[in-house]
Amino acid sequence: DFLFFWGAVFLVTTTLVAFLKKENQELIPAKEETKGITDTYRLLFSIIKMPAVLTFCLLILTSKIGFSAADAVTGLKLVEEGVPKEHLALLAVPMVPLQIILPLVISKYTAGPQPLNTFYKAMPYRLLLGLEFAFLVWWAPKVKHEGGFPIYYYAVVVLSYALHQITLYSMYVAIMAFNAKVSDPLIGGTYMTLLNTVSNLGGNWPSTVALWLVDPLTVKECAGAQGHTCATAAATEV
């Protein structure tokens, strides 16, 4: 029902925008200097070959490695420690207003000549919150009782997640502002799409690697199986 309702809202609002919103003809920028798919990819390669863009891509592809494990694995580990999935899902609800307000607030600080300053300032705090998430996973079995988890544990989880959202959106809005600022207006769509795609890839590939490394890096104890470490999936199954 939830998905059906918001799907209907999405369709109605998008249709209204399509039919009722008109472009301002006086402010249309010059047409992009591309004629088709081939020209667009040639343009992309010419952009990527620029030294400044290459350096930026290298930085943005590696900048999120430090908190990839905390972002990707924390929720799964909390579920593994006994926190109900439905409770974790409910804890995300209070974050919705925060996620709406944060970009509006942060955009005031990224509108200046150096939007990446916000990105740099938020990074150490986000790294520290990775340690906080590790503490939450370690703490979970300590406070668990027969009825589940105490209210104060969920309060700490919500507070930690809220602080994490502030750092996450600070970095996200800053990088979007920077991409918009440096993109050439004549090829703005192509330029921004390229930079935003690299930014998204920089967040996704470390999380994928972190998930893949969970099993090899997890220390397991085998009950009643002397001399076995249960390091592999097959050994754990046995």
Side-chain angles (χ1 to χ4, degrees):
D1 289 343
F2 179 85
L3 292 174
F4 179 81
F5 173 79
W6 287 110
V9 170
F10 186 87
L11 287 172
V12 170
T13 52
T14 307
T15 304
L16 289 174
V17 170
F19 284 106
L20 301 180
K21 177 66 179 172
K22 303 299 180 184
E23 295 289 349
N24 190 335
Q25 298 297 325
E26 297 176 1
L27 298 177
I28 293 179
K31 190 175 181 182
E32 287 195 12
E33 299 175 354
T34 54
K35 298 177 182 177
I37 295 176
T38 306
D39 287 340
T40 302
Y41 277 101
R42 283 176 183 163
L43 184 60
L44 285 172
F45 282 119
S46 68
I47 294 169
I48 288 176
K49 286 190 290 186
M50 296 167 63
V53 175
L54 270 176
T55 304
F56 174 70
C57 288
L58 179 63
L59 289 171
I60 209 64
L61 282 171
T62 54
S63 64
K64 297 180 182 177
I65 292 174
F67 30 77
S68 58
D71 289 1
V73 185
T74 300
L76 299 173
K77 284 295 177 183
L78 287 176
V79 171
E80 190 177 285
E81 295 295 346
V83 180
K85 285 183 284 187
E86 57 270 23
H87 288 182
L88 286 178
L90 281 173
L91 293 178
V93 175
M95 297 300 109
V96 174
L98 186 66
Q99 291 167 346
I100 294 171
I101 295 168
L102 277 175
L104 298 174
V105 176
I106 296 166
S107 61
K108 295 179 182 178
Y109 300 95
T110 58
Q114 296 179 316
L116 279 185
N117 281 351
T118 306
F119 183 94
Y120 298 142
K121 290 175 182 176
M123 182 175 282
Y125 295 104
R126 193 170 172 188
L127 287 168
L128 287 172
L129 282 168
L131 296 176
E132 164 73 5
F133 283 175
F135 168 76
L136 287 176
V137 174
W138 172 85
W139 192 31
K142 311 287 184 187
V143 296
K144 185 179 180 182
H145 51 73
E146 291 182 4
F149 290 84
I151 296 295
Y152 65 82
Y153 180 78
Y154 288 118
V156 174
V157 171
V158 170
L159 179 62
S160 302
Y161 191 47
L163 293 173
H164 175 262
Q165 290 295 296
I166 293 172
T167 59
L168 186 151
Y169 273 86
S170 295
M171 296 179 70
Y172 176 77
V173 174
I175 208 72
M176 292 294 125
F178 178 80
N179 291 345
K181 192 173 185 64
V182 300
S183 297
D184 187 340
L186 288 177
I187 50 173
T190 306
Y191 212 125
M192 273 203 72
T193 301
L194 172 66
L195 295 180
N196 289 343
T197 300
V198 173
S199 299
N200 290 333
L201 183 61
N204 289 332
W205 80 261
S207 296
T208 304
V209 173
L211 287 169
W212 181 74
L213 288 173
V214 169
D215 267 351
L217 294 178
T218 298
V219 178
K220 304 184 183 76
E221 294 179 5
C222 298
Q226 296 291 335
H228 293 279
T229 59
C230 295
T232 65
T236 304
E237 187 69 24
V238 172

